[in-house]
């Protein structure tokens, strides 16, 4: 599948919010379903785009396939990144587009941006233990597990971390 990566358009904010939320809900990643507090952040594409870089994956016909939030140091969307690291957040691909390379293309685009940014030494991300497909993408692209950085945003809920060092 041909996939293009570009900044999300304002006209796509709602659709990407829906894709991201549906991906998390349909994969059982939100303990409280639609009532989960994280749904608000997943849908907040406009706010993320104003405070970070949200990239969209689209097919040759312009169909929105998924997206990711690329966070640079100092962004309010940073969870674990240090001052010399970029961070990936909320990678999501629509169920219909999975397995066609959109997720990997989004991660590669973030890595390329980070490598081209002076002063950055790597890219970090947090992921849920059950996100096996994403873990395989990260490993294929050279990310390594950093268990010493694993963290819990909520009691009893631990996120795994990965880092790609340049």
């Amino acid at each position: 599948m041909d996939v293009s990566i570009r900044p999300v358009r304002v006209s796509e904010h709602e659709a990407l919010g829906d894709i991201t939320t549906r991906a998390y809900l349909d994969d059982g990643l939100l303990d409280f379903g639609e009532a989960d507090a994280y749904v608000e952040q997943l849908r907040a594409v406009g706010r993320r785009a104003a405070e970070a870089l949200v990239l969209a994956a689209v097919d040759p016909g312009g169909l929105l396939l998924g997206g990711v939030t690329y966070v640079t140091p100092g962004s309010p969307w940073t969870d674990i990144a240090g001052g010399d690291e970029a961070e990936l957040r909320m990678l999501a691909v629509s169920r219909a587009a999975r397995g066609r390379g959109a997720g990997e293309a989004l991660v590669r685009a973030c890595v390329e941006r980070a490598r081209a940014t002076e002063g950055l030494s790597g890219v970090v991300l947090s992921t849920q233990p059950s996100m096996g497909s994403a873990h395989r993408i990260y490993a294929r692209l050279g990310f390594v597990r950093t268990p010493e950085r694993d963290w819990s945003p909520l009691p009893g809920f631990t996120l795994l971390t990965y880092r790609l060092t340049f």
Side-chain angles (χ1 to χ4, degrees):
M1 167 182 246
D2 285 333
V3 177
S4 297
I5 306 299
R6 59 163 170 71
V8 68
R9 296 177 178 154
V10 172
S11 62
E12 298 168 325
H13 286 180
E14 185 175 346
L16 184 54
D18 289 344
I19 287 171
T20 306
T21 302
R22 283 278 28 115
Y24 277 70
L25 287 169
D26 294 348
D27 289 350
L29 303 173
L30 301 174
D31 288 343
F32 302 106
E34 291 276 355
D36 197 293
Y38 199 51
V39 167
E40 180 183 340
Q41 289 190 32
L42 296 173
R43 290 199 182 280
V45 176
R47 193 170 92 229
R48 290 199 317 268
E51 299 172 338
L53 175 62
V54 178
L55 295 174
V58 296
D59 74 6
L63 178 66
L64 184 63
L65 306 173
V68 67
T69 301
Y70 172 79
V71 181
T72 53
S75 167
W77 290 94
T78 298
D79 273 336
I80 63 166
D84 66 343
E85 297 171 318
E87 185 169 349
L88 306 186
R89 300 277 318 272
M90 301 175 203
L91 173 66
V93 175
S94 71
R95 185 163 301 281
R98 291 188 183 176
R100 300 179 189 171
E104 184 168 331
L106 286 161
V107 175
R108 284 183 184 278
C110 290
V111 168
E112 289 169 11
R113 284 183 181 275
R115 284 187 190 276
T117 303
E118 187 174 333
L120 292 183
S121 67
V123 179
V124 295
L125 60 90
S126 301
T127 183
Q128 291 185 31
S130 63
M131 295 177 163
S133 296
H135 301 171
R136 287 187 291 279
I137 291 171
Y138 306 143
R140 192 166 45 249
L141 297 180
F143 284 80
V144 296
R145 276 279 290 122
T146 51
E148 69 280 5
R149 293 174 82 167
D150 291 356
W151 63 290
S152 298
L154 300 169
F157 181 74
T158 300
L159 292 172
L160 309 179
T161 61
Y162 285 76
R163 185 174 199 276
L164 175 66
T165 302
F166 305 147

